């Protein structure tokens, strides 16, 4: 059951992140192939880094569904582009969903490989945010984790919540749902109320 849940989370995270990457590429007027490259980069980038660090075969190399999922995301954006343009900050919503879903997937897979919780939290953050960094580098944008808006911090806090609930013996389904909602809520509230960490002073 846990394996199925993790696969569902990774599939949904792939779809959400792929749409985010493709939408960013569309804003730069990339062609369809360029959009697919950006989508696949953000969808599998963080998970690939995680799996390499865990010394296992990257998840997308064991099942073509993730490559297909990104193609479906591209098709989705192409077909519904006219409608998505009317939805303000649509890319932000999908990016947030991808961050939350992939953070949880990263934590779960790290725990399956016997890593302690503090490592799993870091792996969750890498899984959730590294793909966005790769996307921003490809698009020649400032990586989102270096911008003032709270991004990786939301992933880490969600990981801490995950750890806390698991320690308390909470069921896996409740842990996953709660962590997902916490990460999304932190991101949405941070952007809505312009919350950010203090900046370094060059004095």
């Amino acid at each position: 059951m846990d394996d199925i849940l993790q696969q569902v989370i990774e599939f949904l995270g792939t779809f959400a992140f792929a749409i985010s990457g493709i939408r960013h590429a569309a804003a730069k007027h990339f062609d369809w192939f360029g959009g697919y490259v950006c989508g696949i980069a953000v969808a599998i980038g963080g998970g690939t880094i995680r799996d390499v660090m865990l010394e296992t075969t990257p998840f997308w190399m064991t099942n073509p569904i993730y490559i297909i999922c990104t193609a479906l995301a591209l098709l989705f954006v192409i077909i519904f582009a006219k409608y998505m343009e009317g939805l303000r900050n649509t890319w932000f919503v999908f990016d947030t969903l991808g961050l939350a879903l992939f953070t949880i997937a990263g934590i779960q897979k790290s725990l399956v490989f016997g890593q302690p919780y503090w490592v799993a939290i870091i792996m969750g953050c890498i899984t959730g945010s590294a793909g966005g960094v790769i996307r921003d580098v490809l698009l020649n944008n400032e990586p989102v984790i270096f911008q003032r808006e709270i991004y990786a911090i939301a992933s880490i806090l969600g990981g801490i919540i995950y750890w806390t609930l698991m320690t308390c013996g909470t069921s896996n389904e409740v842990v996953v749902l709660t962590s997902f909602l916490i990460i999304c809520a932190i991101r949405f509230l941070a952007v809505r109320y312009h919350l950010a960490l203090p900046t370094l002073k060059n004095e």
Side-chain angles (χ1 to χ4, degrees):
M1 182 65 180
D2 288 345
D3 289 341
I4 296 176
L5 181 61
Q6 181 175 342
Q7 289 177 1
V8 170
I9 290 172
E10 287 193 345
F11 182 84
L12 293 176
T14 299
F15 189 78
F17 258 168
I19 287 181
S20 169
I22 294 165
R23 290 289 298 142
H24 277 80
K28 292 275 189 173
H29 304 291
F30 282 25
D31 62 17
W32 290 6
F33 180 74
Y36 183 84
V37 170
C38 287
I40 198 69
V42 69
I44 70 172
T48 299
I49 295 174
R50 172 203 65 207
D51 289 345
V52 169
M53 296 178 70
L54 291 175
E55 298 183 341
T56 185
T57 303
F59 68 105
W60 59 270
M61 296 177 66
T62 61
N63 192 335
I65 190 64
Y66 303 102
I67 307 298
I68 297 171
C69 180
T70 303
L72 292 176
L74 176 63
L75 185 63
F76 179 87
V77 171
I78 292 171
I79 294 175
F80 296 103
K82 179 174 64 175
Y83 304 100
M84 294 178 71
E85 283 297 327
L87 300 176
R88 188 178 180 183
N89 293 328
T90 299
W91 67 266
F92 167 74
V93 173
F94 280 109
D95 193 57
T96 299
L97 295 177
L99 174 68
L101 291 166
F102 266 24
T103 295
I104 295 169
I107 292 173
Q108 289 182 327
K109 189 162 189 176
S110 299
L111 293 176
V112 168
F113 275 76
Q115 298 296 329
Y117 271 107
W118 65 272
V119 173
I121 292 173
I122 295 174
M123 289 295 188
C125 182
I126 290 173
T127 308
S129 60
V133 174
I134 297 173
R135 174 202 64 206
D136 291 335
V137 169
L138 290 174
L139 294 171
N140 198 29
N141 293 332
E142 180 184 12
V144 66
I145 64 170
F146 297 144
Q147 298 174 18
R148 291 203 66 197
E149 67 177 69
I150 292 177
Y151 191 80
I153 293 298
S155 176
I156 293 173
L157 292 176
I160 293 174
I161 294 297
Y162 189 104
W163 178 18
T164 302
L165 292 177
M166 287 296 289
T167 302
C168 295
T170 309
S171 67
N172 192 40
E173 290 77 9
V174 173
V175 171
V176 168
L177 179 61
T178 303
S179 302
F180 172 82
L181 293 176
I182 288 294
I183 295 172
C184 290
I186 292 173
R187 281 281 286 151
F188 290 143
L189 291 174
V191 171
R192 173 65 178 82
Y193 295 103
H194 306 289
L195 304 177
L197 296 176
T199 57
L200 293 171
K201 303 298 182 181
N202 184 23
E203 297 177 348

